[in-house]
């Protein structure tokens, strides 16, 4: 059966008047393609803050999916709801995954039309690359607000959206709940786990979002994990058992042990960022600090929701790099008000969440920073790389990104950089490939090699830029 697939990033397109306005916003675009598909699947992705703040309901999202199907002339409709932690790019990454894989067979089929409701240009570009490939004979059908859309031309092939199918659950039924707080399903207990009910019956979407804020491991049952999307389908099967489970999916169960009062070493959680797994305490807890950064903390402090951001970051050293795997960052200028603003955004693949990010408060984690009125320093788009660091002690709940180079390292400038502007340079490594560097020039820098230092080390640096992975000449 031919299928229209509509992907909705509710975190940045939710109308002030409520989610139902989306149907009116998109009706004319969809009407231009009436009859292209017999079924219409609408996949929503949004974080817990959006669910709570907008008081989203299953019924309202179902009504939007029905309205999209009617507008495009489909015979049937289906809704998929992807709830994510309120963390950087989680909804974007989930939508990119849902573009090609369905949580179950009901959402699988031959896609002949794809629509995206999102203002995130990186997500648009990722889907552009995914749908319009050389020789694919797919074309752009709509560009910009309210919908970016793609479709197969008359000779084009449909794109297969493949369903994720669980294997058969094996293992024996345990005599009783083991002593753990939360635990990934192992091979020995997969059959027993499959017959268990969801640990938090998701009867109310906004209430479920509040539970996930405190217990993000619940998403392993009713959301996506790093290896599986089957929980997205399970979310709508309210009141049913978990069903067949592949043990590698990272589905976690609630045990009878109490929440730990202290924890030790941390590792990545199966649900991705927004949580950390503490294997020694057999617990997965809410955590907004990057797991790699936690390994540098002398002590991890807990609070009611999970890992305490402020108290834990306070136990980190100043200035030193706190992550060993740099992330790519793109800098560009955009018009915000009277003067251009500078935007810095962590770049990840369309299916991978960022490994580190900025933290500016106990609940504020971002993969993008905007510096108002600083765009005049950036005449052209620049690429750089950054690692996490704790900038100072004035604000305890703060994590920033600094350049991966050290003071005294030399970089190569291939094109002259004008005074008081940010330009492109590259590292001069002893081994490996050169890496991109953003260089803020005090004065005109010609084509040359120059010694640099991270901008936060310089007393001359503009305060607005010190949280960014930029270097300056020494």
């Amino acid at each position: 059966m031919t299928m229209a697939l509509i992907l909705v990033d509710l975190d940045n397109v939710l109308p002030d008047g409520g989610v139902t306005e989306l149907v009116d916003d998109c009706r004319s675009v969809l009407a231009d393609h009436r009859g292209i598909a017999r079924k219409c699947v609408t996949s929503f992705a949004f974080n817990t803050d959006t669910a709570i703040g907008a008081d989203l309901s299953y019924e309202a999202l179902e009504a939007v999916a029905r309205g999209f199907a009617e507008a495009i002339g489909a015979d049937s409709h289906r809704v998929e709801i992807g709830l994510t932690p309120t963390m950087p790019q989680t909804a974007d990454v989930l939508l990119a995954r849902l573009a090609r894989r369905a949580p179950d067979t009901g959402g699988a089929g031959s896609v002949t039309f794809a629509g995206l409701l999102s203002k995130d240009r990186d997500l648009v570009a990722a889907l552009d690359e995914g749908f319009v490939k050389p020789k694919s004979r797919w074309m752009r059908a709509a560009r910009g607000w309210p919908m970016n859309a793609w479709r197969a031309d008359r000779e084009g092939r449909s794109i297969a959206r493949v369903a994720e199918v669980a294997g058969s659950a094996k293992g024996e039924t345990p005599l009783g709940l083991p002593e753990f707080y939360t635990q990934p399903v192992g091979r020995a207990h997969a059959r027993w786990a499959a017959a268990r009910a969801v640990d938090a019956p998701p009867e109310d979407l906004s209430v479920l979002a509040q539970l996930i804020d405190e217990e993000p491991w619940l998403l392993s049952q009713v959301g996506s994990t790093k290896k599986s999307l089957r929980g997205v389908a399970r979310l709508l099967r309210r009141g049913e058992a978990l069903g067949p489970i592949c043990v590698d999916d990272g589905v976690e169960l609630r045990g009878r042990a109490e929440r730990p009062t202290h924890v030790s070493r941390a590792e990545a959680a199966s649900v991705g960022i927004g949580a950390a797994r503490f294997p020694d305490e057999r617990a997965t807890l809410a955590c907004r600090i990057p797991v790699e950064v936690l390994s540098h903390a002398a002590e991890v402090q807990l609070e009611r929701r999970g890992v305490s951001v402020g108290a834990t970051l306070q136990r980190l050293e100043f200035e030193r790099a706190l992550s060993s795997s740099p992330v790519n960052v793109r800098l560009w200028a955009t018009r915000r008000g009277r003067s251009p603003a500078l935007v810095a955004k962590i770049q990840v693949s369309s299916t991978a969440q960022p490994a580190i990010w900025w933290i500016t408060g106990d609940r504020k984690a971002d993969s993008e920073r905007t510096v108002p009125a600083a765009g005049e320093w950036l005449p052209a788009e620049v690429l750089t790389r950054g690692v996490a660091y704790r900038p100072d002690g004035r604000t305890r709940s703060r994590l920033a990104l600094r350049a991966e180079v050290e003071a005294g390292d030399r970089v190569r400038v291939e094109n002259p950089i004008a005074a008081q502007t940010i330009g492109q340079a590259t590292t001069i490594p002893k081994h490996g490939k050169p890496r991109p560097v953003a260089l803020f020039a005090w004065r005109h820098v010609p084509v040359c090699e120059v010694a640099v230092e991270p901008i936060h080390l310089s007393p001359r640096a503009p305060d607005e830029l010190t949280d960014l992975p930029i270097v300056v000449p020494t």
Side-chain angles (χ1 to χ4, degrees):
M1 178 182 292
T2 56
M3 180 172 70
L5 176 63
I6 300 178
L7 306 163
V8 186
D9 180 3
L10 276 185
D11 289 341
N12 66 24
V13 299
L14 186 62
D16 293 337
V19 67
T20 54
E21 288 187 6
L22 292 174
V23 177
D24 290 334
D25 291 340
C26 300
R27 196 182 304 277
S28 61
V29 175
L30 296 174
D32 289 341
H33 304 281
R34 284 186 68 85
I36 194 171
R38 294 180 59 191
K39 179 171 68 172
C40 181
V41 176
T42 300
S43 292
F44 295 96
F46 49 93
N47 64 42
T48 53
D49 279 1
T50 297
I52 297 166
D55 196 21
L56 293 176
S57 68
Y58 298 108
E59 294 76 16
L61 299 180
E62 173 77 21
V64 173
R66 187 184 311 112
F68 285 159
E70 292 172 353
I72 205 168
D75 299 329
S76 62
H77 72 278
R78 180 179 179 83
V79 63
E80 297 170 352
I81 299 175
L83 192 56
T84 71
T86 303
M87 294 295 291
Q89 301 187 41
T90 50
D92 304 342
V93 168
L94 179 54
L95 278 183
R97 293 174 65 189
L98 288 168
R100 298 304 295 265
R101 299 194 70 83
D104 63 5
T105 55
S110 301
V111 179
T112 52
F113 175 91
L116 171 67
L117 280 72
S118 178
K119 298 175 184 177
D120 188 291
R121 71 175 191 170
D122 290 327
L123 180 57
V124 174
L127 294 191
D128 237 348
E129 183 179 344
F131 286 114
V132 186
K133 293 182 177 180
K135 301 181 181 179
S136 69
R137 293 181 178 173
W138 269 59
M139 56 183 283
R140 268 296 197 117
R143 184 182 296 273
W145 180 254
M147 177 182 286
N148 287 275
W150 303 263
R151 62 167 292 170
D153 65 17
R154 293 181 180 179
E155 298 179 357
R157 297 179 180 178
S158 60
I159 293 177
R161 191 177 189 233
V162 181
E164 294 199 354
V165 180
S168 58
K170 300 178 180 179
E172 302 299 327
T173 301
L175 296 177
L177 276 178
E179 289 287 351
F180 55 74
Y181 182 61
T182 65
Q183 184 76 0
V185 175
R187 297 185 184 279
H189 305 321
R191 181 175 297 172
W192 163 72
R196 272 187 50 155
V198 173
D199 278 309
E203 296 301 328
D204 183 287
L205 191 53
S206 60
V207 171
L208 176 62
Q210 294 175 52
L211 289 171
I212 287 170
D213 262 354
E214 298 183 12
E215 305 286 2
W217 56 269
L218 284 169
L219 279 177
S220 71
Q221 300 182 13
V222 294
S224 65
T225 66
K226 290 186 288 188
K227 293 187 177 181
S228 174
L229 295 169
R230 278 188 287 276
V232 175
R234 199 179 289 125
L235 177 63
L236 295 178
R237 300 201 300 266
R238 300 189 289 280
E240 297 183 14
L242 285 169
I245 294 174
C246 288
V247 295
D248 294 332
D249 288 348
V251 174
E252 292 197 32
L253 302 177
R254 175 72 166 89
R256 63 185 180 188
E258 295 297 320
R259 176 193 283 255
T261 56
H262 65 278
V263 291
S264 50
R265 62 186 179 94
E267 60 185 35
S270 67
V271 294
I273 61 178
R277 178 75 188 162
F278 298 94
D280 294 344
E281 289 74 31
R282 307 184 77 177
T284 295
L285 303 175
C287 179
R288 294 179 178 273
I289 302 173
V291 170
E292 189 174 355
V293 173
L294 278 185
S295 66
H296 294 272
E299 185 178 355
V300 177
Q301 294 290 300
L302 299 182
E303 57 185 11
R304 182 178 62 85
R305 288 182 178 272
V307 174
S308 171
V309 175
T312 300
L313 290 183
Q314 258 189 322
R315 286 162 171 77
L316 297 172
E317 294 182 34
F318 298 137
E319 311 299 353
R320 65 170 292 191
L322 300 173
S323 57
S324 58
S325 302
V327 293
N328 297 319
V329 180
R330 190 175 78 249
L331 309 178
W332 74 92
T334 187
R335 180 63 61 174
R336 301 274 174 92
R338 294 184 178 181
S339 58
L342 184 155
V343 181
K345 185 172 182 179
I346 295 171
Q347 302 296 288
V348 295
S349 75
S350 60
T351 56
Q353 299 170 343
I356 59 173
W357 48 84
W358 287 276
I359 294 177
T360 53
D362 287 345
R363 287 186 53 78
K364 189 65 173 175
D366 289 308
S367 62
E368 181 176 313
R369 295 296 301 274
T370 299
V371 184
E376 294 173 351
W377 288 329
L378 192 68
E381 187 170 292
V382 174
L383 298 177
T384 184
R385 285 156 61 90
V387 294
Y389 84 105
R390 184 184 174 205
D392 57 44
R394 290 173 295 176
T395 305
R396 68 175 192 170
S397 299
R398 188 165 168 233
L399 193 71
L401 268 63
R402 53 162 284 185
E404 63 175 320
V405 303
E406 299 296 336
D409 286 354
R410 299 184 68 81
V411 301
R412 180 176 290 110
V413 178
E414 302 287 356
N415 294 291
I417 302 173
Q420 297 298 305
T421 62
I422 301 170
Q424 189 72 66
T426 56
T427 60
I428 306 174
K430 295 179 181 178
H431 307 286
K433 297 180 180 179
R435 302 296 186 183
V437 177
L439 188 150
F440 183 83
W442 307 121
R443 59 181 65 86
H444 174 79
V445 177
V447 174
C448 65
E449 292 184 6
V450 60
V452 296
E453 64 182 354
I455 195 168
H456 69 276
L457 297 179
S458 173
R460 302 170 57 190
D463 287 341
E464 305 97 304
L465 301 181
T466 53
D467 277 3
L468 304 182
I470 295 173
V471 299
V472 295
T474 57

